[in-house]
Amino acid sequence: MNPTSFICERSAEYILVPQVIEALRNKFRYVVPIYPWISREGGNISKLVNGSYSFKVLGLYPRRPKLLPNDERIIVKFSEQIIYGAKASQELGIPIIAGCPLAKNFWELSECEDFLWADLAEFNTDDIDYCAMVNAKGVMAEAPEGYFFNDIGRVSEIIDRSDKHFDISTFIDAIKEIKMSSRGSENYIPMYFMGGYKPVYFLLANP
């Protein structure tokens, strides 16, 4: 039997995003999490009201805790779309991480204080479909060096890897390219943008 999860990525996202916001508040006054649609965040009215602002960007791929019956371990998978999307993101100046709440049911999710975070800059194409195995005590077996971290405060160091600043137009162009790269397409295809895995992005700025 293949492992599966009791939640989708969006449900994991609701637990992960506040953790990232809290960690970044020490560094940035403005921390804006968005799940962008080209017709909304990338639409004309968004470009009108946001066009004068410059910001840095961090990406987050939410991961689901996958389970097997009668097995205390949590399995966290890193698929092809995530590996290719992260590679394109970093080439465009957007550091990107992944995160997974280490919970085994809704009630643990509600009170979750343990998370597995991944520095996707460390991953490469040999890591496609890599599965991290975390035991009941939250300890990961045979973790590759540098791939994972438990302290979300490390995002402060990760965001410092890039000095790239975006405006709304260059940001939308970048996320289109990231999404197409994750799907193996060289050209923008609107239906590809809507389907599959897509990160949450944090827009980061100081006055």
Side-chain angles (χ1 to χ4, degrees):
M1 181 178 181
N2 291 325
T4 190
S5 187
F6 62 97
I7 57 171
C8 67
E9 284 80 9
R10 294 304 301 273
S11 296
E13 178 184 310
Y14 295 141
I15 303 297
L16 296 167
V17 165
Q19 301 291 319
V20 179
I21 291 175
E22 184 177 358
L24 292 171
R25 283 288 188 200
N26 296 324
K27 196 176 189 71
F28 298 96
R29 177 174 174 182
Y30 303 114
V31 180
V32 185
I34 63 171
Y35 185 78
W37 287 26
I38 300 304
S39 60
R40 302 295 189 269
E41 287 81 358
N44 289 335
I45 192 67
S46 178
K47 290 177 180 177
L48 176 66
V49 299
N50 296 308
S52 62
Y53 296 95
S54 174
F55 47 86
K56 298 181 76 170
V57 182
L58 173 75
L60 165 69
Y61 276 111
R63 300 282 72 217
R64 299 177 294 155
K66 293 190 173 187
L67 309 172
L68 286 166
N70 304 313
D71 191 327
E72 287 295 307
R73 294 176 300 174
I74 292 173
I75 301 161
V76 186
K77 185 177 178 180
F78 297 84
S79 65
E80 179 180 59
Q81 286 188 42
I82 289 170
I83 303 298
Y84 285 127
K87 182 176 185 296
S89 179
Q90 287 159 122
E91 289 173 353
L92 291 165
I94 299 177
I96 195 158
I97 63 174
C100 179
L102 298 178
K104 297 187 286 293
N105 55 52
F106 292 149
W107 323 119
E108 288 187 10
L109 190 67
S110 172
E111 300 178 338
C112 189
E113 296 181 351
D114 297 316
F115 302 87
L116 181 69
W117 303 98
D119 182 354
L120 293 179
E122 300 292 333
F123 286 65
N124 56 60
T125 53
D126 292 334
D127 297 311
I128 289 172
D129 292 334
Y130 176 82
C131 290
M133 310 289 287
V134 184
N135 69 20
K137 296 181 180 179
V139 177
M140 186 178 162
E142 301 179 359
E145 186 175 355
Y147 279 42
F148 300 99
F149 56 100
N150 296 111
D151 180 7
I152 188 57
R154 184 170 157 186
V155 295
S156 181
E157 301 171 18
I158 291 172
I159 194 64
D160 282 343
R161 291 176 186 164
S162 175
D163 293 325
K164 181 73 177 286
H165 283 71
F166 296 83
D167 60 29
I168 188 63
S169 293
T170 55
F171 169 64
I172 294 301
D173 288 342
I175 64 172
K176 284 181 177 179
E177 186 171 339
I178 292 164
K179 183 60 178 179
M180 294 307 103
S181 295
S182 77
R183 300 293 295 272
S185 174
E186 295 182 359
N187 300 309
Y188 176 64
I189 301 171
M191 289 302 296
Y192 274 20
F193 191 86
M194 297 304 297
Y197 299 119
K198 186 166 63 175
V200 182
Y201 292 98
F202 298 83
L203 312 186
L204 311 170
N206 286 310

